[in-house]
Amino acid sequence: MQFVTFHPFVLLLTSALIAPNVSGTTLKTTALLLPSESNSSFDKAVKPLLMNTCRPCHNAQISSGGLNLDTFMQTTSIEKYRENWELILQKVSAGEMPPRGITRPPKSHIDFFINFVEKAFEHADRSMPIDPGRVTTRRLNRNEYSNTIRDLLGVSFRVKDSFPSDDSGYGFDNIGDVLTISPLLMEKYVAAAEWIAAAAFGGNSLPDKPLEATYSARDGTIIQLTSGSIETTHRIEWDGEYIIRIGLPGERPPGSPPVRMNLHMNGKLIHSTQVETTPTKLVYFSPRSIEEMRLHLEAGDHTFQVSFADDNFVSTLCKEDLYNRKKNKFLESISFVGPFPTDVENLAEQNILICDPNSGDQCVYSILSRFARRAYRRPVIDKEVASLVKFVKQAQREGQPTERGLQLAIQTILISPHFLFRIEHDSNPIDPAEIHPISNTELASRLSYFLWSSTPDDELLSLAETGDLRDSTVLASQVNRMLLDKKSAALAVNFGGQWLETRNLDSVIPDTDKFPAWDPGLRKAMQTETQLFFEAMLRENRPLFDFLDARFTFLNDRLASHYGIADVEGPHFRRVSLNTDKRGGVLTQAAVLTVTSYPTRTSPVLRGKFLLKAILGAPPPPPPANVPALEESNLGVKGTLREQLEQHRSNPACASCHDRMDTLGFGLENYDAIGRWRERDGDFLIDSGGTLPSGKSFSGPAELRKILSDDRRSFIRTVTEKMLTYALGRGLESYDRKALVDIMDALGAEGYTLQSLIHEVVRSVPFQMRRGENNQRLGKKLIETIGQ
């Protein structure tokens, strides 16, 4: 495609003057110190800057950073070398180029340069033909598999113990190109299908005698949130009744009132009872009581929390007496004994047996066709159902119950490529010109795995089968419905957790000698804060910029104490308004600050890199080899971390990246490696100010957040790219730029809210369409293998 020349110059100049620059301001005519007449705006405004400022370091002889600008001196190069020009624009916009030591052109020249290139990009994008790209056939990742089994069968499958970790690409673990399948994984799928199908029909029989599991503060298997609140995670292997025993050592002074003890499972109150706080029977030196209850529990991994409600007595005690058995009664242990047989009907069987399978072939056919339709996420044909009915017939011929045949049929469905893979069909898969909308049921699957990380429900699938889902009003209504569903929490866990890297918190192990406050309870509180915050952003449809500086968060007493925020009591999380500029948005949340630190100290480099990658969309290149490590023993003793790093990065080759990256990270140095506010680094006062290469200065985290918030274009583009990548399950390519710009333009008209971003992604061409691929790997054999 021939690049369109920008003539006359006056028209281009006019468009540049009214276009917003990266700081959000509008360029003034009087600010442009450029000749009023020119044969080409590129030759007069862009080429001189390249020649005089950039080319001395980027030419055929020097080629700094591997970039030779000799071939970039014509307007047509903007289209021909688009990726290089995008990197140039990114570096100039961020102020990283020209580097320190090189005379900077007047700001008006740089602003015009930026606007010229952006306009050229925009014109080229608008002129490009539609190309929705192509998503590789991909298997369900671990989270998607687990959630799909839950929603299909009501069975809780411990996927992390059964399958290996998924690979990630472009920052997410749902990318089709990296979700490969090995012979070993296939064996695990077969074993899992057998276990899940048996569990669905109650085939996993109860143990011969009840089992007992105890979690206590003594052995560190519970999280002791406060003396009046404990928490643990326990795996219930079988549906059934269980005896739950709560150990309460200690006693309070005579006359102390009883307290109410509440038991929550996964945040839901399941039992409440009154507990006496003075012993009814004295035990020498160790007053102790046990509260016991018998409850029906469903199989699965559950979080149990036991707490005293409205317990004012502890406020009268000093910290040293909270766990003094002679002065206080507190919570110490939880035991589970079971399972015992129960009369409650198996929930999974309710999901499958829509009629009595022993009533005849028609019921068996109905059961299997309904289940296969939901498992395959599309209508099924008679031939497919007939092949499944054969398992029932075989079981009946062998004298086995009809349910056994159904169990084998479901087991077969769960190892089918139609279940394990999200397959999208092309009429001509090896023709890249074959652009077409994905089918209605494929659209339903894209939508459900985007928002729920799980299979479409009956309502969504039915709308797809009738063709109504394609109606824009219906589609928008379904998105709104799905966002209101509790399953949309998966978006906070899987998208938010990977975008903000807080899913890595489980693998972070801070040095407890340096950070004695760190324990599993604090880790859990950090994770909960960020997840609840994301869910609130989603539920309330808040502006995306609130991710950077919202004036609220979610805290319990443990995390509030960690932050130094008063008047938050009790282990339950609640929304808290922030009346201090020390906290605001995700960047000051302890989960983000901890995963961007080392076990023993903070890291301005890691934190700066995170800001560049996750917030500004400008990830730095990999570091050069053989970079010497910091001398850890000197930190906080011979100087601040900042002083050590400034010496460490004195190499000009390192400075080009670290000038911006480290400066951003230094803005968060008031937070230690587990997110606590501090004023000093060892013996030295912390300097959390800095000046970015762009010339913008800040003093402290609050001003840094404002600078990041003001760079709206970079942030909105970054979040949009991340969301579109996650929704599509593939990395973005050059042909996606038009869709990206369209989404961003629409967001501006809708207030840049989070739900608006989701709606625009769903409406986008890449989300609703696909094309073939001119690739020899997509041969007939592979196509037949995946079910084309």
Side-chain angles (χ1 to χ4, degrees):
M1 181 182 67
Q2 180 65 36
F3 193 84
V4 178
T5 305
F6 290 86
H7 291 299
F9 170 70
V10 175
L11 294 179
L12 175 64
L13 182 59
T14 302
S15 65
L17 295 180
I18 63 173
N21 66 8
V22 291
S23 66
T25 60
T26 301
L27 299 178
K28 305 293 186 181
T29 306
T30 55
L32 290 172
L33 306 178
L34 297 170
S36 60
E37 296 181 357
S38 175
N39 294 327
S40 165
S41 56
F42 181 89
D43 289 341
K44 294 296 183 181
V46 177
K47 188 174 179 178
L49 190 147
L50 294 176
M51 289 291 294
N52 300 328
T53 305
C54 307
R55 190 178 176 278
C57 296
H58 301 281
N59 54 62
Q61 287 72 39
I62 301 177
S63 190
S64 178
L67 179 63
N68 174 16
L69 291 179
D70 288 349
T71 55
F72 288 69
M73 298 301 166
Q74 298 82 32
T75 308
T76 53
S77 68
I78 296 181
E79 179 186 6
K80 186 176 181 180
Y81 303 110
R82 173 68 179 263
E83 292 186 4
N84 300 93
W85 271 102
E86 286 188 338
L87 181 60
I88 292 170
L89 180 63
Q90 180 188 97
K91 295 290 186 180
V92 174
S93 298
E96 295 180 38
M97 290 292 160
R100 60 181 177 180
I102 303 297
T103 302
R104 298 183 68 85
K107 182 178 183 298
S108 57
H109 288 215
I110 292 179
D111 288 342
F112 188 88
F113 176 93
I114 291 170
N115 278 278
F116 182 95
V117 178
E118 287 180 342
K119 282 295 178 181
F121 286 169
E122 183 179 340
H123 186 278
D125 292 340
R126 298 294 181 192
S127 304
M128 286 180 64
I130 291 177
D131 185 349
R134 176 186 179 86
V135 180
T136 304
T137 293
R138 49 180 162 149
R139 66 169 172 83
L140 304 181
N141 67 20
R142 294 196 307 179
N143 288 317
E144 292 168 342
Y145 183 96
S146 176
N147 292 343
T148 300
I149 292 297
R150 174 202 67 198
D151 294 338
L152 282 176
L153 295 165
V155 172
S156 176
F157 179 65
R158 192 182 294 193
V159 68
K160 291 184 178 180
D161 292 344
S162 303
F163 301 154
S165 298
D166 297 308
D167 291 329
S168 293
Y170 305 98
F172 299 103
D173 63 3
N174 67 341
I175 304 300
D177 286 341
V178 301
L179 286 172
T180 57
I181 186 167
S182 64
L184 176 61
L185 181 56
M186 195 65 233
E187 290 180 11
K188 292 184 177 293
Y189 279 136
V190 172
E194 182 178 2
W195 187 92
I196 292 166
F201 284 93
N204 296 329
S205 57
L206 299 183
D208 294 335
K209 60 180 181 179
L211 306 176
E212 181 171 355
T214 299
Y215 303 89
S216 71
R218 292 181 178 181
D219 57 23
T221 53
I222 66 166
I223 299 172
Q224 202 149 19
L225 301 173
T226 66
S227 64
S229 180
I230 57 177
E231 180 178 292
T232 192
T233 299
H234 177 60
R235 171 75 177 181
I236 301 295
E237 295 288 356
W238 299 270
D239 286 354
E241 290 193 356
Y242 291 80
I243 294 173
I244 303 175
R245 298 188 179 115
I246 312 298
L248 301 100
E251 62 178 317
R252 295 178 180 179
S256 297
V259 295
R260 179 151 297 278
M261 185 185 72
N262 294 331
L263 172 64
H264 288 80
M265 183 176 79
N266 304 327
K268 180 180 179 181
L269 180 66
I270 61 173
H271 186 79
S272 182
T273 187
Q274 185 169 283
V275 174
E276 295 294 333
T277 58
T278 54
T280 55
K281 179 174 67 175
L282 292 178
V283 179
Y284 185 66
F285 286 133
S286 182
R288 181 180 179 85
S289 63
I290 293 177
E291 293 295 327
E292 184 175 296
M293 60 214 74
R294 181 163 174 155
L295 303 171
H296 177 269
L297 301 176
E298 299 174 11
D301 294 301
H302 303 296
T303 298
F304 295 89
Q305 187 181 90
V306 188
S307 60
F308 290 152
D310 301 323
D311 185 16
N312 297 319
F313 176 78
V314 292
S315 63
T316 66
L317 298 174
C318 63
K319 185 177 180 180
E320 291 73 18
D321 289 341
L322 290 176
Y323 297 100
N324 186 325
R325 297 185 177 216
K326 295 182 178 181
K327 297 184 178 182
N328 190 28
K329 190 171 194 66
F330 54 91
L331 296 159
E332 185 183 54
S333 64
I334 310 176
S335 297
F336 300 87
V337 182
F340 300 96
T342 178
D343 294 332
V344 177
E345 185 180 358
N346 185 281
L347 295 177
E349 290 188 30
Q350 295 178 32
N351 293 335
I352 302 170
L353 303 183
I354 57 176
C355 55
D356 182 1
N358 296 304
S359 63
D361 292 347
Q362 184 58 45
C363 176
V364 170
Y365 186 94
S366 297
I367 290 172
L368 291 176
S369 62
R370 176 181 180 272
F371 184 79
R373 166 183 171 269
R374 292 200 61 208
Y376 295 162
R377 304 173 283 275
R378 59 165 175 78
V380 291
I381 59 176
D382 290 342
K383 183 179 179 180
E384 289 177 304
V385 182
S387 67
L388 298 170
V389 172
K390 290 179 181 178
F391 289 98
V392 179
K393 295 295 185 182
Q394 180 66 27
Q396 292 172 337
R397 284 194 296 271
E398 295 175 358
Q400 298 184 56
T402 302
E403 286 82 355
R404 173 58 180 165
L406 288 171
Q407 180 179 326
L408 292 173
I410 288 173
Q411 185 176 327
T412 302
I413 289 172
L414 296 183
I415 58 173
S416 166
H418 299 285
F419 171 73
L420 294 174
F421 290 85
R422 290 172 54 190
I423 299 170
E424 296 178 348
H425 295 270
D426 299 302
S427 58
N428 191 351
I430 57 175
D431 181 3
E434 183 68 27
I435 297 173
H436 62 92
I438 58 176
S439 73
N440 293 329
T441 52
E442 290 164 0
L443 178 59
S445 283
R446 282 198 180 190
L447 193 56
S448 66
Y449 282 100
F450 172 29
L451 301 182
W452 289 347
S453 296
S454 186
T455 191
D457 62 4
D458 279 327
E459 180 175 336
L460 187 62
L461 196 54
S462 295
L463 287 170
E465 290 170 344
T466 61
D468 293 331
L469 187 60
R470 283 286 177 189
D471 180 87
S472 59
T473 301
V474 174
L475 184 60
S477 176
Q478 284 299 301
V479 171
N480 289 333
R481 177 184 72 87
M482 296 174 72
L483 291 177
L484 289 173
D485 193 289
K486 63 181 181 181
K487 288 187 286 188
S488 66
L491 199 61
V493 174
N494 297 324
F495 170 73
Q498 292 183 91
W499 166 42
L500 299 173
E501 301 182 11
T502 53
R503 282 207 333 193
N504 298 338
L505 201 61
D506 287 332
S507 59
V508 171
I509 308 176
D511 186 334
T512 52
D513 289 335
K514 292 194 173 184
F515 305 102
W518 178 262
D519 61 19
L522 185 59
R523 182 203 308 269
K524 176 72 173 177
M526 291 178 181
Q527 290 172 322
T528 302
E529 176 192 20
T530 304
Q531 181 175 340
L532 291 178
F533 179 82
F534 191 103
E535 290 181 25
M537 290 285 296
L538 183 63
R539 184 175 59 254
E540 299 169 17
N541 193 25
R542 300 187 67 87
L544 292 167
F545 306 111
D546 279 1
F547 277 116
L548 299 180
D549 200 19
R551 306 316 304 152
F552 71 93
T553 190
F554 291 83
L555 303 174
N556 65 355
D557 52 359
R558 178 68 188 281
L559 194 56
S561 176
H562 189 69
Y563 287 170
I565 295 177
D567 300 323
V568 178
E569 298 180 359
H572 63 285
F573 275 79
R574 82 294 312 265
R575 186 187 185 111
V576 176
S577 296
L578 296 174
N579 300 316
T580 170
D581 62 3
K582 294 179 180 179
R583 303 283 170 179
V586 295
L587 302 183
T588 63
Q589 290 178 5
V592 171
L593 294 164
T594 301
V595 298
T596 53
S597 298
Y598 290 122
T600 57
R601 63 171 174 84
T602 61
S603 173
V605 176
L606 290 182
R607 288 176 176 175
K609 180 181 177 181
F610 169 80
L611 292 176
L612 288 174
K613 182 173 62 173
I615 305 301
L616 298 175
N626 303 320
V627 177
L630 287 175
E631 181 56 56
E632 296 281 338
S633 61
N634 291 335
L635 298 178
V637 178
K638 295 185 177 181
T640 64
L641 177 58
R642 182 181 191 125
E643 293 169 342
Q644 304 257 347
L645 276 175
E646 286 176 348
Q647 297 175 13
H648 186 69
R649 61 190 174 95
S650 58
N651 186 333
C654 300
S656 61
C657 289
H658 282 272
D659 272 353
R660 188 182 190 206
M661 181 164 61
D662 293 5
T663 302
L664 289 169
F666 288 136
L668 299 176
E669 267 295 277
N670 280 118
Y671 307 100
D672 71 9
I674 57 173
R676 290 177 304 189
W677 180 266
R678 60 181 184 167
E679 302 285 350
R680 308 183 74 87
D681 178 7
D683 298 330
F684 302 91
L685 284 172
I686 288 173
D687 175 9
S688 58
T691 301
L692 295 169
S694 62
K696 294 181 179 179
S697 297
F698 61 87
S699 177
E703 291 185 10
L704 173 62
R705 296 198 307 271
K706 185 177 187 310
I707 287 178
L708 295 174
S709 299
D710 287 344
D711 193 358
R712 293 191 162 203
R713 181 179 178 83
S714 295
F715 178 61
I716 293 300
R717 185 181 182 93
T718 301
V719 180
T720 303
E721 287 177 345
K722 299 286 185 183
M723 187 71 80
L724 189 58
T725 299
Y726 178 80
L728 295 177
R730 65 167 175 83
L732 302 188
E733 304 292 345
S734 58
Y735 47 74
D736 293 309
R737 295 182 184 114
K738 184 178 186 302
L740 195 64
V741 171
D742 288 343
I743 292 172
M744 292 173 64
D745 287 346
L747 283 179
E750 297 167 5
Y752 295 107
T753 62
L754 182 53
Q755 287 188 21
S756 296
L757 174 58
I758 291 169
H759 277 279
E760 292 304 327
V761 166
V762 171
R763 280 195 282 263
S764 70
V765 168
F767 192 85
Q768 296 203 20
M769 301 183 75
R770 65 183 274 120
R771 60 161 166 80
E773 180 81 277
N774 186 12
N775 193 321
Q776 294 301 316
R777 291 177 299 174
L778 297 177
K780 180 181 290 187
K781 183 176 180 180
L782 175 59
I783 298 168
E784 291 174 350
T785 300
I786 64 174
Q788 178 71 14

